Amino acid sequence: MEPIEQIRVRAETAVPGAKIDIVPNPGPANQLSLLIDSAHATDVARFLRDDTALRLDFCSNVTGVDWLDRTVKRTSKVKRVVDGEEKEVDESAEEKIPGYLEAVYHLYSMAHKHGPVVIRMRTTDRGDDARLPSLTPVWRSAEFQEREIFDLYGVHFDSHPDLRRILMWDEFVDHPMRKDYVPPDDFEWEPTPHDEVLARAKQHYTPRPQLDGAEKITTQPQS
Amino acid sequence: MSATMETIEAMERPPVTMSSRLDGELLEVSMGPQHPSTHGVFRMNVALEGEIVRKLKPVFGYLHRNHEQIGEHTSYLGSMPYTDRLDYFCSMTNNWAYALSVEKLAGIEVPERAEYLRVILAELTRLQNHASLLGFLLSDMGAWGTPLMYAFREREKILDLFESLSGSRMMCDYMRFGGCRVDASDEWLAVAKKIVDPFPKFLDEFEELILQNEIVIARTQNVGKLSLELAISAGITGPMLRACGVNYDIRKVDGYGIYPRFKFRVPLGEHGDTYDRLMMRALEMRESVEILKQALPQIPPGPIVNPKVKLRAFRPPVGEAYGRIEAPKGELGFYLISDGGPNPYRYRVRPPSFINLTVLEDMCLGHTVADVMVILGSVDIVMGEVDR
């Protein structure tokens, strides 16, 4: 398969206006990925699928990743005048990267039997209305997997044919795969009520009424 | 008592005929999750016109326990026994897919003997999975019990082999990063050979008895057809894809492990119907036997685990990797992101049978309710993997 840099250049020329970056992968697997801007994602995906040299007709794996806000320390050499002399000094700067949600697609070609080409899309923030374009019209295999990302990560896929929760039930409110997800503690019934769990659960309930009719039952035989 | 019966009988009722009551009206039926032919707790919301399926929406999640999140909260090794519970019929291949992905993530070599053991165990897994699938499928068609027990007799022999090697019949937890957990003795290999050699006899018998059966042919041929284009677009993998005639077997395409050393063919279907999917399993079992017959005598002596790999406090370098194998049900992949810590930052399972269900509706439309059961059976699903 052609190198990923070449794929990037060809995709950018084929889809005018598209901005594609290569995301490095420092590990030994060496699977680099293409970061695609949301506005042109569908066109780029169509190009990857239909291009005669690539023919990435098989979208194998679609998944979400949650990246929290993080600070990255970067050291750079800066020239500075110290005691009248120009010296190179290490200067560390902290860069704050706001969090985002990511959708990752692993593409293979059944026609040419090569792959994987990894493409990713990022949302602008981790808010409740995080949006990405759906690639289900391009690859049908994304249908259930994008639903799963919507369910577990809370990414809304525009123009998805049937965007509903898939693994959790419809009334569920949160997105459990997010890194800052807190499991609920208002258990209806705790089979083995440990003291700590019971104390937490009790905060959610009004105490049971003391008079529930049971006090009227007596063990005395009725005459 | 008799008075009420008389009043009921005297009541005027509108005449019920199928055409007048159901013509043009759709009846919504919830099939499952407790239906025995749904292979676990799977539900389909089906809209029926008479007996014909007009709409079908699968409902998942009855067995959902967020396997992926549990994987992110435990160490890399800690997830290994839990992968057994994904597709609980094929724990060996689940182990292999996970081990392969971690090996890609950390750049670990696997010794040769371990690679042979992995191939042997994966092919044995394929044999018992496909055999029991055929049994279950016939059970769905109404051949209650007997064919299933017939298949289970063979499966039981293989599970005994797994038990004597790993200590457990189904939850094997056998593979490790960079190798396998325990070595197979010469006696074990001899017993394995004794089980594999007569396996084609079972296949001959089974095929003659069942796959040429008139009822089976009537119930499966031209039922649940899947077109080649849709299969590729929907990411169908495994025997279900090859039944449509797509020559895509990851053992050949990726050549992972030591599969390029073995000579085997990839069976392909022509029609993409349920019968082809059924035959695909029978033919693949024969090829698995071929691989086993080559691998069992060739297995070299040597270490079974890479001594450089630390089991405790295992921390792969920062990076990500996607590894995949040809599991009996299709492409089983694990996508792992490491942030350098002891737990994976992201742990994703690409379950083959979940994605193969994408086209369930497309295959079932226009068929009867009874056919839905057969079509679903031919997809080969396991809910432990679908719902995770």
Side-chain angles (χ1 to χ4, degrees):
Chain A
M1 201 179 54
E2 56 190 310
I4 194 149
E5 177 59 37
Q6 196 184 327
I7 298 175
R8 184 187 77 87
V9 172
R10 286 211 301 127
E12 275 191 346
T13 42
V15 183
K19 199 186 164 306
I20 303 172
D21 296 313
I22 290 178
V23 180
N25 180 2
N30 201 26
Q31 292 171 344
L32 304 176
S33 42
L34 297 169
L35 178 66
I36 294 170
D37 65 324
S38 312
H40 301 89
T42 323
D43 292 334
V44 173
R46 284 227 167 79
F47 163 77
L48 293 173
R49 186 192 62 182
D50 298 333
D51 181 69
T52 43
L54 287 171
R55 282 290 295 284
L56 299 164
D57 46 8
F58 170 38
C59 175
S60 164
N61 179 41
V62 183
T63 188
V65 188
D66 183 10
W67 298 96
L68 294 169
D69 300 345
R70 64 196 163 173
T71 48
V72 181
K73 267 193 186 173
R74 278 186 197 172
T75 50
S76 52
K77 300 228 170 195
V78 184
K79 282 194 177 172
R80 229 185 240 164
V81 184
V82 183
D83 304 332
E85 251 181 282
E86 197 172 276
K87 274 186 183 172
E88 275 201 347
V89 187
D90 284 347
E91 196 179 65
S92 66
E94 282 195 350
E95 193 193 351
K96 279 200 173 172
I97 301 174
Y100 48 84
L101 297 161
E102 207 173 36
V104 186
Y105 297 72
H106 286 82
L107 311 176
Y108 288 85
S109 169
M110 280 190 186
H112 297 324
K113 299 199 168 46
H114 60 216
V117 171
V118 190
I119 61 172
R120 339 172 73 97
M121 295 188 289
R122 286 177 186 169
T123 62
T124 45
D125 56 4
R126 298 178 65 257
D128 289 335
D129 195 44
R131 290 193 168 274
L132 284 178
S134 167
L135 297 187
T136 306
V138 187
W139 294 286
R140 177 80 192 281
S141 62
E143 184 184 340
F144 283 179
Q145 305 189 70
E146 280 179 350
R147 265 178 77 184
E148 195 184 308
I149 300 175
F150 165 71
D151 186 0
L152 303 181
Y153 284 96
V155 180
H156 295 258
F157 285 92
D158 293 323
S159 72
H160 187 284
D162 182 23
L163 197 65
R164 290 178 290 138
R165 283 190 181 270
I166 187 162
L167 292 172
M168 308 301 285
W169 54 102
D170 290 340
E171 295 78 19
F172 193 79
V173 280
D174 211 341
H175 305 290
M177 277 302 280
R178 288 208 185 185
K179 288 281 177 186
D180 52 0
Y181 171 74
V182 182
D185 55 4
D186 55 337
F187 307 101
E188 247 181 274
W189 178 73
E190 176 68 24
T192 51
H194 315 293
D195 299 341
E196 194 192 327
V197 177
L198 200 64
R200 264 191 293 147
K202 268 186 180 164
Q203 294 173 0
H204 293 272
Y205 296 113
T206 50
R208 279 192 174 182
Q210 290 300 309
L211 299 176
D212 56 355
E215 74 283 350
K216 285 181 190 160
I217 301 168
T218 54
T219 47
Q220 293 290 319
Q222 290 182 353
S223 52
Chain B
M1 190 71 180
S2 59
T4 43
M5 284 306 289
E6 274 162 26
T7 30
I8 288 169
E9 275 170 24
M11 260 165 53
E12 256 186 54
R13 277 179 238 172
V16 182
T17 58
M18 290 305 278
S19 59
S20 69
R21 289 299 299 274
L22 289 172
D23 202 28
E25 261 182 56
L26 292 187
L27 177 73
E28 199 177 318
V29 179
S30 177
M31 289 170 86
Q34 281 96 4
H35 197 279
S37 69
T38 55
H39 299 256
V41 277
F42 178 64
R43 181 154 75 96
M44 292 166 277
N45 276 342
V46 193
L48 300 174
E49 184 186 342
E51 221 183 317
I52 307 294
V53 177
R54 291 292 175 222
K55 207 173 156 190
L56 185 148
K57 292 286 168 205
V59 181
F60 305 97
Y62 290 95
L63 212 58
H64 180 55
R65 67 266 184 201
N66 220 337
H67 178 95
E68 295 179 3
Q69 195 181 52
I70 295 168
E72 285 168 19
H73 288 178
T74 185
S75 65
Y76 283 89
L77 183 62
S79 290
M80 183 59 86
Y82 204 30
T83 58
D84 295 337
R85 276 86 178 159
L86 281 171
D87 174 358
Y88 40 79
F89 265 76
C90 317
S91 61
M92 288 291 188
T93 46
N94 296 345
N95 287 174
W96 193 2
Y98 180 51
L100 186 93
S101 306
V102 176
E103 282 152 13
K104 269 195 177 174
L105 184 70
I108 299 170
E109 299 277 319
V110 183
E112 196 162 319
R113 188 176 171 85
E115 292 277 28
Y116 269 94
L117 282 172
R118 285 179 177 189
V119 168
I120 290 168
L121 291 164
E123 294 310 319
L124 284 171
T125 303
R126 203 179 311 277
L127 284 183
Q128 56 101 353
N129 178 74
H130 286 359
S132 38
L133 171 94
L134 290 181
F136 278 125
L137 192 53
L138 287 153
S139 182
D140 290 345
M141 283 184 226
W144 270 111
T146 313
L148 181 63
M149 287 303 123
Y150 220 71
F152 265 28
R153 188 188 64 194
E154 299 304 312
R155 175 171 179 255
E156 213 55 35
K157 290 178 193 166
I158 293 170
L159 291 190
D160 284 349
L161 267 182
F162 287 175
E163 188 181 12
S164 67
L165 184 63
S166 73
S168 178
R169 282 151 41 86
M170 288 167 83
M171 305 293 127
C172 297
D173 179 27
Y174 181 68
M175 315 263 173
R176 288 290 177 265
F177 314 136
C180 300
R181 184 159 55 86
V182 281
D183 201 354
S185 63
D186 291 344
E187 290 78 30
W188 188 89
L189 292 168
V191 175
K193 199 166 177 303
K194 261 189 194 165
I195 291 169
V196 169
D197 282 342
F199 204 86
K201 265 189 205 160
F202 156 74
L203 287 174
D204 291 341
E205 215 176 11
F206 205 64
E207 278 179 28
E208 201 168 327
L209 275 173
I210 288 144
L211 295 176
Q212 293 170 18
N213 182 308
E214 204 175 318
I215 300 170
V216 171
I217 288 174
R219 296 263 342 238
T220 55
Q221 284 192 351
N222 290 321
V223 169
K225 271 199 171 186
L226 181 61
S227 74
L228 188 144
E229 294 76 23
L230 181 63
I232 293 176
S233 168
I236 308 301
T237 43
M240 206 172 145
L241 173 76
R242 292 190 285 273
C244 306
V246 185
N247 187 356
Y248 196 79
D249 187 320
I250 297 166
R251 290 175 292 175
K252 290 273 189 199
V253 173
D254 282 9
Y256 62 92
I258 48 162
Y259 272 114
R261 290 187 199 178
F262 302 114
K263 217 178 137 219
F264 64 99
R265 293 171 298 172
V266 180
L268 295 178
E270 273 179 18
H271 309 281
D273 58 0
T274 308
Y275 187 77
D276 274 11
R277 289 197 278 279
L278 213 105
M279 279 307 290
M280 226 28 57
R281 267 80 185 210
L283 294 171
E284 274 190 14
M285 279 196 275
R286 290 191 186 277
E287 297 307 315
S288 290
V289 170
E290 282 305 307
I291 296 175
L292 282 166
K293 277 185 179 165
Q294 294 168 54
L296 281 169
Q298 279 178 23
I299 184 165
I304 53 154
V305 73
N306 188 337
K308 285 180 193 158
V309 182
K310 279 200 295 181
L311 274 185
R312 313 273 168 230
F314 175 75
R315 284 162 189 263
V318 179
E320 61 171 62
Y322 178 69
R324 57 176 195 161
I325 67 160
E326 180 76 33
K329 292 179 170 62
E331 174 186 330
L332 176 64
F334 280 81
Y335 173 57
L336 300 163
I337 299 181
S338 165
D339 58 354
N343 306 347
Y345 184 80
R346 179 79 179 99
Y347 168 95
R348 152 82 177 166
V349 188
R350 189 250 187 228
S353 45
F354 174 63
I355 294 158
N356 286 358
L357 283 174
T358 311
V359 290
L360 184 65
E361 183 177 21
D362 304 70
M363 291 194 294
C364 289
L365 292 184
H367 289 293
T368 58
V369 183
D371 287 338
V372 171
M373 295 287 107
V374 182
I375 294 168
L376 177 72
S378 73
V379 177
D380 193 5
I381 61 166
V382 158
M383 292 319 284
E385 178 180 81
V386 172
D387 284 346
R388 281 157 295 141

